[in-house]
Amino acid sequence: QVQLVESGGGSVQAGESLRLFCEGSGYTYRRDCMGWFRQAPGKEREGVAVICSGGSQTVYADSVKGRFTISQDNDKFTVLLQMNSLKPEDSAMYYCAKGGLALEHRTYVYWGQGTQVTVSS
């Protein structure tokens, strides 16, 4: 079955960087959207960045444009999220997901367990 495993979270100071990794397995179709979502305590889950169509299309939330970059390995089973200039409001549990539409989290079928990102001021 499809499995998504995240890694790379941690605790950093504002302005620093982190890189998140999502390793996928158990599927062959690799042209659908795959990417990152986050959820802070008491808030709704929101889309951060996704990569679609085999890497030819990327979509970012306005709040992370210019700071975060999503990419996909050539094998298309691994998705990376480079997060620069982190802010305290970026603190959340970050989830990898696959099989949905753009940043609409409710459309995604497969989810990882999440990795925590904490940014202190």
Side-chain angles (χ1 to χ4, degrees):
Q1 71 272 22
V2 175
Q3 287 191 317
L4 303 173
V5 179
E6 304 99 333
S7 62
S11 297
V12 296
Q13 298 286 319
E16 294 183 342
S17 299
L18 279 174
R19 181 178 291 183
L20 302 185
F21 300 86
C22 175
E23 295 188 55
S25 62
Y27 56 88
T28 55
Y29 185 67
R30 289 166 282 176
R31 293 190 60 81
D32 53 359
C33 292
M34 184 169 171
W36 294 93
F37 298 77
R38 67 187 181 188
Q39 188 167 18
K43 294 189 176 181
E44 187 176 356
R45 189 168 297 191
E46 63 175 357
V48 176
V50 297
I51 189 164
C52 312
S53 302
S56 63
Q57 181 187 16
T58 56
V59 183
Y60 293 93
D62 288 343
S63 60
V64 307
K65 283 179 182 176
R67 299 188 298 122
F68 291 11
T69 303
I70 190 168
S71 61
Q72 195 168 36
D73 273 3
N74 288 337
D75 64 7
K76 297 181 177 57
F77 288 100
T78 302
V79 172
L80 298 88
L81 184 68
Q82 178 67 42
M83 306 187 294
N84 298 329
S85 303
L86 283 161
K87 304 175 181 180
E89 52 263 44
D90 293 318
S91 297
M93 184 69 78
Y94 281 69
Y95 297 92
C96 179
K98 173 178 166 61
L101 300 173
L103 296 177
E104 298 296 326
H105 66 89
R106 294 182 180 87
T107 66
Y108 280 75
V109 177
Y110 304 105
W111 292 86
Q113 293 299 307
T115 185
Q116 179 68 40
V117 171
T118 302
V119 185
S120 55
S121 57

